[in-house]
Amino acid sequence: MVRKAIEVQELTAFNIEGRCDVSILQLFDDMLLIGNSDWQQVQALKEVLRGFKLISGLGVNFHKSHLIGINLNYHFVYAAANFLNCRVQSNSFDFLGFHLGVIHKLISWWESLLKKLKDRLGSWRGRILSLGGRISLIKSVLSSLAIFQLSFFKALSRIIKEIERIHSNFLWGNNASKRKIVWIKWEYLCLSKELGELGFKSFKEFNDSLLFKWK
């Protein structure tokens, strides 16, 4: 129905740098409809959603739906939201673990990831873990927590250092009350097992390799 609305020029898809057009994105039970800011688009959007309800019998919960206006007049956004009977969502919000609408080159954007790592460590520090146990937890759990954000955004060097510091401190058993000696630098621990080290992730190289798929 969205494709048909675009075909008859009732809706206009969003063009990304001349490479592709995007009008609808779907993930599980979430759906994002994208269009231009004029009343014809708003009317067409409502007609598509009503048509979907009549055909499928599945209603859209407009009270849980949100309208986001990017660089739009405040009055237009609220008038459109009132017409669609939905809420207005600010440009800054959390979705799938990301805080969207904030420049990812700011240190504050990465604080949620650092907090997630520290919170996970907080649940482990009360346990008696051997060095081997800490190594296993770093490789199987702790390192995987950063994959999602590192897959989409280039991390600041300061953030990379902080992530590696968190991992290193946990490995050597450091905590808030007692600081232990760090016997080997993290960069050496990232060397392969064939070279006699532990084969941990170098998060700068890991970040670069994850982003390479977008090139």
Side-chain angles (χ1 to χ4, degrees), residues 161 164-165 167-169 171-172 181-192 196-202:
K161 290 179 181 179
E164 293 182 344
R165 186 188 69 81
H167 283 69
S168 180
N169 286 346
L171 175 66
W172 301 111
I181 297 174
V182 175
W183 293 101
I184 305 174
K185 288 184 177 180
W186 185 261
E187 61 187 89
Y188 295 124
L189 294 174
C190 293
L191 297 175
S192 65
E197 296 299 342
L198 296 175
F200 286 138
K201 287 183 176 67
S202 167

Side-chain angles (χ1 to χ4, degrees), residues 3-4 17 20 40 46 49 52 70 89 96 99 110 123 130 138 144 146 160 163 186 207 210 214:
R3 286 197 294 266
K4 185 64 177 178
E17 298 182 351
C20 65
Q40 177 182 319
K46 189 164 187 176
L49 295 174
F52 172 77
I70 307 297
Q89 173 71 60
L96 297 178
H99 190 64
W110 296 91
S123 65
S130 65
I138 287 174
S144 64
I160 292 291
I163 292 173
W186 185 261
N207 187 202
L210 289 171
W214 301 112

